[in-house]
Amino acid sequence: MARTIRAPQSPMRTPTPDWRRMLADRLLPWFGRHQRKLPWRQSRDAYRVWVSEIMLQQTQVATVIPYFERFLAAFPSVRDLAAADEHEVLRLWEGLGYYRRARQMHAAARLVASQHGGVFPDTLEGVRSLPGIGRYTAGAIVSIAFDRPAAILEANTIRLLSRLFAISGDVTTAAAQSTLWQLAEAIVPPRKCGVFNQALMELGSLVCTPKAPRCEVCPASELCAAFQQGRQNEIPAPRTRPIFEQVREAAVVVYQRGKVFVRLRQPGERWAGLWDFVRFPVAARRGASLRTELADKTRQQAGLAIGEAKRIATLKHGVTRFRITLDCYRAPYERSRVHLPAEQWRWLAPDALSELPLSTTGRTLSRLLLEN
């Protein structure tokens, strides 16, 4: 006869050893049968685990897979990444967004190469000392790559733990996060902890979904306090929907003699380290005031005097809390000199733009130039 273990009824109660063993005993076989065949699971190499975890931050698995495969083909080891030019790294990252992740990963690879002999650290402290690696990512790396007991807490496991322990209210508060981390640490088994952590994330992704969780096929439903209370659809509490700010910008493709002007975006600017066309916020919508604003701001940003600007496209995209309407123009170069340092700007044929890392909208605009 199967033994019944009651689910904890309070989020502050530490799960019993029997409950922890039952969770691991049910979760690990389930993961063995149902885990997705993902490219970063082909080995426990710390470098591969690290790259995948950084790419997966705020990005869907299906989106990450082709990027991961291209990135590993170009930089098969941490030494290869450390030796790469930053522009090459950003070019392969192009389209994933949050480019700070790529720059920090490049910086971390150089530290591993220079200070650790190209061998990835195998302790939480060593991993967390690297740029761009926080508590969750460090726990994922050392548990998956080195089978060290370490807790993880990300979107899927936050939802899963909230339901297992019936944690009501806003799980993004400092108090709730502290409780969740304590629970995550309490349930990690002494062995196979990397597989266990992956199973937690997989269960949250495939079964314990945000809406309509599939409790009828969940291996942990008997241990789940929210399920026993019939509250799995209300836990965790829904997050407050963000308020987006509408912004209007212009991108000006300045051209002369078959080439277009691009500039390197600087630290402190959006998409720092990427190349882009002249781009700025605009207030005017049409007519003479818009023409004047386009000309004045192009001169201010790059030192270029332009002729009449003609709109060629309007692109809409989002960046963090902003929803941006980008009107794209092409305008002939007339006179004056670029006032940017020489290494921060170039005149290039449109087909040469494929060699540079561009923002997503910059890449879309470059394709429009080639098509026309």
Side-chain angles (χ1 to χ4, degrees):
M1 178 181 293
R3 187 166 50 143
T4 298
I5 302 293
R6 289 180 58 81
Q9 298 301 306
S10 167
M12 296 305 293
R13 179 178 170 183
T14 301
T16 66
D18 278 348
W19 189 95
R20 296 198 302 266
R21 281 194 294 271
M22 276 292 262
L23 180 63
D25 288 347
R26 296 182 175 204
L27 207 55
L28 296 179
W30 174 88
F31 182 65
R33 294 190 301 271
H34 298 285
Q35 65 173 298
R36 289 168 290 181
K37 304 302 181 185
L38 302 175
W40 45 86
R41 289 178 178 164
Q42 293 175 4
S43 81
R44 289 170 51 189
D45 175 64
Y47 173 67
R48 294 173 64 90
V49 174
W50 171 49
V51 172
S52 69
E53 290 297 338
I54 298 297
M55 287 187 170
L56 285 165
Q57 292 172 6
Q58 298 178 290
T59 310
Q60 297 293 322
V61 168
T63 301
V64 167
I65 290 174
Y67 280 93
F68 178 84
E69 292 173 337
R70 287 193 296 266
F71 201 88
L72 266 291
F75 313 121
S77 73
V78 69
R79 288 184 182 274
D80 294 313
L81 178 57
D85 182 82
E86 184 179 274
H87 285 177
E88 186 181 2
V89 176
L90 292 174
R91 177 67 185 88
L92 284 170
W93 197 273
E94 186 182 301
L96 271 178
Y98 302 99
Y99 291 90
R100 184 182 180 190
R101 295 181 295 173
R103 288 191 292 271
Q104 288 180 326
M105 193 161 65
H106 191 214
R110 290 183 168 180
L111 282 178
V112 172
S114 64
Q115 297 183 11
H116 300 276
V119 178
F120 211 86
D122 62 358
T123 65
L124 274 174
E125 296 75 15
V127 173
R128 287 201 69 178
S129 70
L130 299 174
I133 298 182
R135 186 176 181 180
Y136 156 71
T137 304
I141 293 170
V142 299
S143 65
I144 297 171
F146 305 111
D147 203 31
R148 301 283 178 86
I152 61 167
L153 194 65
E154 42 75 66
N156 288 313
T157 50
I158 287 173
R159 183 171 59 257
L160 178 61
L161 291 175
S162 298
R163 287 171 175 162
L164 284 173
F165 295 95
I167 299 177
S168 303
D170 184 357
V171 295
T172 66
T173 66
Q177 288 287 301
S178 177
T179 297
L180 287 165
W181 272 112
Q182 291 172 27
L183 292 169
E185 290 170 346
I187 65 175
V188 176
R191 293 178 297 277
K192 295 186 177 180
C193 48
V195 178
F196 178 83
N197 280 339
Q198 291 180 85
L200 286 176
M201 291 187 284
E202 197 80 331
L203 187 65
S205 177
L206 300 182
V207 176
C208 197
T209 50
K211 295 181 180 179
R214 301 167 58 218
C215 302
E216 70 280 1
V217 298
C218 177
S221 59
E222 183 185 338
L223 305 175
C224 178
F227 176 69
Q228 291 189 3
Q229 298 169 16
R231 302 172 60 206
Q232 63 271 28
N233 289 310
E234 63 186 68
I235 293 177
R239 298 181 63 178
T240 302
R241 300 190 71 172
I243 299 175
F244 296 110
E245 181 178 344
Q246 301 296 325
V247 176
R248 197 167 201 96
E249 295 184 352
V252 181
V253 180
V254 184
Y255 64 91
Q256 66 160 337
R257 299 174 184 175
K259 294 184 177 181
V260 296
F261 179 86
V262 290
R263 59 178 289 265
L264 182 64
R265 297 184 72 87
Q266 297 301 296
E269 292 185 292
R270 189 195 311 148
W271 304 312
L274 303 185
W275 291 83
D276 200 5
F277 303 99
V278 179
R279 183 194 299 247
F280 42 74
V282 289
R285 293 298 182 91
R286 59 180 65 86
S289 58
L290 176 59
R291 290 194 294 272
T292 299
E293 185 174 6
L294 293 174
D296 289 347
K297 289 187 173 179
T298 299
R299 185 182 296 107
Q300 292 166 13
Q301 187 174 107
L304 300 174
I306 59 174
E308 182 181 359
K310 296 183 178 181
R311 189 169 65 86
I312 56 176
T314 295
L315 307 176
K316 294 182 182 291
H317 65 112
V319 179
T320 60
R321 63 184 179 87
F322 301 102
R323 291 297 176 264
I324 301 171
T325 298
L326 179 68
D327 290 318
C328 305
Y329 300 85
R330 63 192 302 270
Y333 167 78
E334 288 196 340
R335 62 185 183 282
S336 72
R337 294 181 179 178
V338 178
H339 60 212
L340 301 172
E343 67 276 8
Q344 295 181 17
W345 60 275
R346 298 180 188 177
W347 287 101
L348 293 173
D351 58 2
L353 295 173
S354 62
E355 303 301 319
L356 296 179
L358 303 177
S359 67
T360 300
T361 50
R363 180 63 62 200
T364 300
L365 185 49
S366 74
R367 293 193 185 104
L368 289 175
L369 296 177
L370 287 174
E371 292 170 2
N372 293 277

